């Protein structure tokens, strides 16, 4: 048996092969589309030019068009609001639930498992479900708010421009809480019990233990969860498609949905690509935070 | 030490602890005077750690009274008991450097930063960590972590120190050194210490007062040598001393002053007290109390040797018997496996136990 064959079976050759396949896969299915997307953002691509690989280069024309679009401001603001709002509430609710289920009471692990049921549902199904809950005429949420006297007239969540983004955000928060809870639960479980006992003997109250032990020990987990939360929220598409379609009048339009709308509704692939490129930049930044957080985790 | 202090610093009165149907501590009565070093020792699962944790307040007692410095603390949470504990895992705060670990309790108490720094330097000097104050626990060796854990306890000047098997994660030579250091520290500070260990040598060498536990019960408590010389039952006799005491079934002879051991050749040995002839007993013979000599000499009973282990300082002889007898001879010994030697033991060093209850007979 040759040295090369032996190395391929068990040795540096085998390792190289594994890395090669992974890199080749990433390059073919993530790298190239990404690059092509950047190229598209500098070209004029309409429905009639779709068949060809290369198109007329128009420089920054697409970027100018996107920024001058009257919708751009709303979309930017909506995207920021939607992302920060979703992540903030997904995280705090998820953390609160994780802390709650971390208390070992009968059935705690079982109940925690039940929460995952929401997370495994397809986004479109969650969207349909929330359509019913949020319905202006017969929705449960309106019924609750009316009966508790919080509002006097029903809110038409999906068709009122003041509420449409909030409607999707509510659904998205509900959708993302279980994921946050599970990751944070894992982080909590990794903190040794005797640290809390030592702190208790050192005179720390429950609140002091939370701020001096739990939070600092969870730093890397929290960083990872928030980074993933931002990335997932920027990817959220199904709920917009199912609940508001970005409307009415663009009042719930966010970047990811707008990119799709420009590309596949208006068939202006160049402008759709521009938004995608800008989102890539943001996601890359967040991903860097994620990688840093997880690296710290292994060092602990 | 300070046996003159009348009121015990720590006092367990009829303390019971149940976990559901499991009875972890049974009618514990223990009084620890101020300044005493007490070791709780016993096999794993005997309740010694549970006892320490109830003292710390990490476990609630089911019934009975627990007093610290004369105050009933049954319902006082751990943070208000003013006790410092050194954990088996050390439980150092991984995200804080040594200085912050040491001064964590002071920070919670609102001690000023300057005062905390001064105290940290002072304690670091005592435990020999002067130049490690800025390190994180993960950058320390096992022995250094152990010292930080000790320092974290000392800095608080608590009512008592609790140790939960603090040396079991260290290697043997460091363990022996830390044993002496902990005891020296205890003497220097004049503190009250409660020390849990499964290692009877640790308990015997460090403590003023040893508490032997089994199955949630205190079997015997007293000075280390009292436990060794006058064990109240077979369990304590077997637990204290290394290698462990030999137990041999025996019958009292017609004279009432000798017993016949249930070994090969039915050797007879003298006992210090008179018992009714025919009484069945269990004889306890400490390996280090048995003398080896010529099997034909007067007073020596013959015994066949199956194995010999020499450590240099002592020689361990194992008999070809059931139960196997272990004999320790100081220094070297010429016996080899297969030899027959004579053995003898002074009558006042033979312990006798009731075969059924295990309680010490006589006295």
């Amino acid at each position: 048996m040759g040295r090369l064959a032996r190395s391929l079976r068990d040795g540096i050759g085998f390792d190289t092969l594994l890395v090669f396949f992974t890199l080749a896969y990433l390059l073919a299915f993530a790298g190239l589309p990404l690059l092509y997307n950047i190229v598209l953002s500098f070209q004029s691509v309409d429905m009639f030019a779709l068949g060809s690989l290369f198109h007329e280069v128009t420089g920054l024309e697409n970027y100018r068009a996107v920024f001058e679009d009257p919708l751009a401001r709303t979309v930017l603001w909506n995207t920021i609001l939607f992302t920060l709002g979703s992540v903030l509430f997904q995280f705090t609710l998820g953390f609160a639930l994780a802390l709650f289920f971390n208390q070992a009471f009968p059935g705690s692990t079982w109940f925690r498992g039940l929460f995952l049921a929401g997370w495994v549902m397809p986004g479109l199904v969650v969207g349909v479900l929330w359509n019913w809950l949020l319905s202006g005429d017969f929705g449960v949420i309106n019924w609750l708010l009316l009966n508790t006297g919080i509002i006097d007239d029903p809110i038409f969540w999906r068709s009122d421009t003041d509420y449409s983004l909030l409607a999707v955000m509510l659904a998205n928060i509900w959708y993302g809480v279980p994921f946050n809870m599970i990751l944070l639960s894992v982080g909590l479980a990794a903190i040794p019990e005797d640290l809390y006992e030592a702190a208790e003997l050192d005179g720390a109250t429950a609140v002091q233990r939370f701020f001096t032990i739990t939070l600092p020990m969870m730093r890397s987990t929290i960083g990872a969860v928030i980074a993933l939360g931002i990335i997932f929220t920027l990817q959220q598409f199904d709920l917009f498609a199912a609940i508001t379609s970005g409307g009415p009048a663009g009042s719930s339009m966010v970047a990811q949905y707008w990119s799709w709308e420009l590309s596949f509704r208006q068939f202006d692939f160049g402008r759709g690509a521009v938004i995608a490129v800008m989102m890539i930049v943001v996601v890359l930044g967040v991903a860097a935070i994620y990688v840093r957080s997880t690296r710290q985790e292994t060092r602990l | 030490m300070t046996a003159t202090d009348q009121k015990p610093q720590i006092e367990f009165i009829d303390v019971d602890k149940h976990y559901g149907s499991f009875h972890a501590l049974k009618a514990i009565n223990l009084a620890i005077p101020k300044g005493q070093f007490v070791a709780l020792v016993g096999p794993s699962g005997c309740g010694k750690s549970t006892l320490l944790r109830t003292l710390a307040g990490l476990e609630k007692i089911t019934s009975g009274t627990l007093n610290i410095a004369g105050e009933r603390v049954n319902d006082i949470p751990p943070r208000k008991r003013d006790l410092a504990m050194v954990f088996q895992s050390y439980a150092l705060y991984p995200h804080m450097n040594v200085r912050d670990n040491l001064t964590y309790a002071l920070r919670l108490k609102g001690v000023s930063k300057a005062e905390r720094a001064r105290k940290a330097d002072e304690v670091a000097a005592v435990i020999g960590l002067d130049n490690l104050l800025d390190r994180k626990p993960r950058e320390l060796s096992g022995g250094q972590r152990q010292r930080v854990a000790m320092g974290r306890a000392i800095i608080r000047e608590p009512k008592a120190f609790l140790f939960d098997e603090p040396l079991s994660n260290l290697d043997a030579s460091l363990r022996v050194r830390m044993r002496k250091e902990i005891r020296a520290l205890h003497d220097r500070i004049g503190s009250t210490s409660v020390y849990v260990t499964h290692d009877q040598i640790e308990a015997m060498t460090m403590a003023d007062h040893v508490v032997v536990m089994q199955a949630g019960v205190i079997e015997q408590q007293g000075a280390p040598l009292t436990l060794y010389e006058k064990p109240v039952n077979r369990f304590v006799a077997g637990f204290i001393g290394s290698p462990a005491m030999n137990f041999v079934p025996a019958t009292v002879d017609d004279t009432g002053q000798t017993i016949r051991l249930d070994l090969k050749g039915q050797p007879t040995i003298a006992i210090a007290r008179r018992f009714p002839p025919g009484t069945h007993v269990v004889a306890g013979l400490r390996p280090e109390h048995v003398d080896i000599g010529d099997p034909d000499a007067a007073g020596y009973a013959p015994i066949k040797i199956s194995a010999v282990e020499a450590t240099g300082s002592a020689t361990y002889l194992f008999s070809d018997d059931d139960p196997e007898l272990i004999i320790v001879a100081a220094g070297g010994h010429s016996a080899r496996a297969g030899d027959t030697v004579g053995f003898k033991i002074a009558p006042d060093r033979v312990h006798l136990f009731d075969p059924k209850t295990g309680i010490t007979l006589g006295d």
Side-chain angles (χ1 to χ4, degrees), chain A residues 167-189:
Chain A
V168 188
M169 213 193 293
L170 277 177
N172 190 45
I173 290 166
W174 180 88
Y175 197 23
V177 160
F179 178 74
N180 278 258
M181 180 196 69
I182 289 295
L183 283 197
L184 292 165
S185 287
V186 173
L188 280 179

Side-chain angles (χ1 to χ4, degrees), chain A residues 13-58:
Chain A
F14 184 66
D15 301 350
T16 317
L17 213 62
L18 287 181
V19 173
F20 171 77
F21 278 125
T22 313
L23 281 180
Y25 174 86
L26 282 175
L27 203 67
F29 293 103
L32 288 180
L34 224 78
L35 282 177
Y36 191 57
N37 184 67
I38 295 173
V39 172
L40 278 184
S41 73
F42 294 106
Q43 294 178 338
S44 169
V45 193
D46 56 24
M47 213 167 32
F48 304 103
L50 258 186
S52 51
L53 196 59
F54 297 100
H55 315 90
E56 182 196 342
V57 176
T58 53

Side-chain angles (χ1 to χ4, degrees), chain B residues 93-172:
Chain B
Y93 310 122
H95 53 291
M96 301 180 196
N97 63 20
V98 172
R99 182 180 288 107
D100 291 343
N101 261 285
L102 291 176
T103 55
Y104 179 73
L106 304 180
R107 204 175 95 206
L108 293 175
K109 260 197 247 168
V111 175
S112 75
K113 201 172 176 189
E115 174 67 7
R116 292 203 310 258
R118 194 187 63 74
K119 278 260 195 175
D121 290 339
E122 193 183 301
V123 167
V126 171
I127 53 175
L129 286 172
D130 311 57
N131 38 27
L132 301 175
L133 281 173
D134 292 313
R135 296 250 190 111
K136 288 275 178 70
R138 64 167 174 269
E139 298 162 339
L140 302 176
S141 70
Q144 289 166 337
R145 288 178 200 190
Q146 162 72 45
R147 281 165 208 270
V148 177
M150 299 272 301
R152 195 171 64 180
I154 296 167
I155 205 165
R156 297 201 10 221
E157 299 168 12
K159 290 203 181 98
F161 292 99
L162 315 185
F163 298 90
D164 190 5
E165 309 221 13
L167 303 184
S168 51
N169 290 340
L170 301 179
D171 58 52

Side-chain angles (χ1 to χ4, degrees), chain A residues 240-281:
Chain A
F240 287 96
I243 298 175
T244 62
S245 305
S251 61
S252 65
M253 186 68 80
V254 290
Q256 62 268 37
Y257 199 81
W258 198 27
S259 171
W260 174 81
E261 176 129 330
L262 288 174
S263 292
F264 298 103
R265 280 283 178 77
Q266 303 177 17
F267 298 107
D268 191 338
F269 291 93
R271 283 200 281 156
V274 165
I275 297 168
V277 166
M278 290 189 292
M279 291 186 73
I280 288 168
V281 173

Side-chain angles (χ1 to χ4, degrees), chain B residues 9-287:
Chain B
Q9 179 79 344
I10 294 165
E11 198 173 16
F12 288 88
I13 303 166
D14 287 326
V15 166
D16 274 74
K17 169 75 188 171
H18 295 266
Y19 292 106
S21 62
F22 179 64
H23 202 165
L25 296 175
K26 297 169 190 164
I28 298 295
N29 282 290
L30 175 63
I32 302 172
K34 198 169 183 174
Q36 200 172 50
F37 195 118
V38 172
L40 308 179
V41 65
S44 52
C46 71
K48 57 190 188 296
S49 282
T50 306
L51 190 60
L52 192 76
R53 291 173 62 84
T54 59
L55 176 55
L58 298 171
E59 307 279 351
K60 283 203 95 173
I61 61 179
T62 313
S63 63
T65 306
L66 173 55
N67 293 330
I68 297 174
E71 186 198 356
R72 187 176 185 273
V73 296
N74 286 28
D75 302 311
I76 306 280
R79 66 189 172 87
K80 291 187 178 162
R81 292 195 184 188
D82 192 17
L83 303 170
M85 184 152 162
V86 177
F87 290 78
Q88 180 173 5
S89 62
Y90 314 140
L92 302 180
Y93 310 122
H95 53 291
M96 301 180 196
N97 63 20
V98 172
R99 182 180 288 107
D100 291 343
N101 261 285
L102 291 176
T103 55
Y104 179 73
L106 304 180
R107 204 175 95 206
L108 293 175
K109 260 197 247 168
V111 175
S112 75
K113 201 172 176 189
E115 174 67 7
R116 292 203 310 258
R118 194 187 63 74
K119 278 260 195 175
D121 290 339
E122 193 183 301
V123 167
V126 171
I127 53 175
L129 286 172
D130 311 57
N131 38 27
L132 301 175
L133 281 173
D134 292 313
R135 296 250 190 111
K136 288 275 178 70
R138 64 167 174 269
E139 298 162 339
L140 302 176
S141 70
Q144 289 166 337
R145 288 178 200 190
Q146 162 72 45
R147 281 165 208 270
V148 177
M150 299 272 301
R152 195 171 64 180
I154 296 167
I155 205 165
R156 297 201 10 221
E157 299 168 12
K159 290 203 181 98
F161 292 99
L162 315 185
F163 298 90
D164 190 5
E165 309 221 13
L167 303 184
S168 51
N169 290 340
L170 301 179
D171 58 52
S173 63
L174 194 53
R175 198 150 58 210
V176 172
R177 210 171 80 210
M178 288 308 292
R179 216 152 77 187
K180 278 171 61 190
E181 281 190 28
I182 291 177
R183 178 66 218 212
L185 215 53
H186 167 92
D187 290 340
R188 183 148 26 124
I189 301 172
S191 54
T192 308
S193 300
V194 183
Y195 189 103
V196 163
T197 177
H198 63 269
D199 181 350
Q200 53 101 9
I201 304 225
E202 250 172 45
M204 299 286 282
T205 51
M206 296 175 80
D208 306 310
H209 189 84
V210 177
V211 177
V212 182
M213 294 184 68
Q214 187 197 205
V217 173
I218 294 181
E219 295 280 358
Q220 189 174 2
Q221 50 177 309
L225 285 183
T226 308
L227 299 189
Y228 177 81
E229 283 160 7
K230 295 193 182 325
V232 297
N233 58 35
R234 184 174 161 169
F235 174 79
V236 176
F239 194 82
I240 302 292
S242 172
M245 184 185 274
N246 296 295
F247 294 106
V248 185
T251 314
V252 178
D253 279 329
D254 295 341
T255 60
Q257 287 175 314
T258 56
I259 54 171
R260 208 167 54 247
L261 298 177
D262 189 10
L263 295 172
K264 282 177 192 160
Q266 307 272 307
T268 301
I269 57 174
I271 52 175
R273 293 182 48 127
R274 185 183 288 269
F275 282 96
T279 311
H280 292 286
V281 296
V282 170
L285 315 173
R286 290 210 182 271

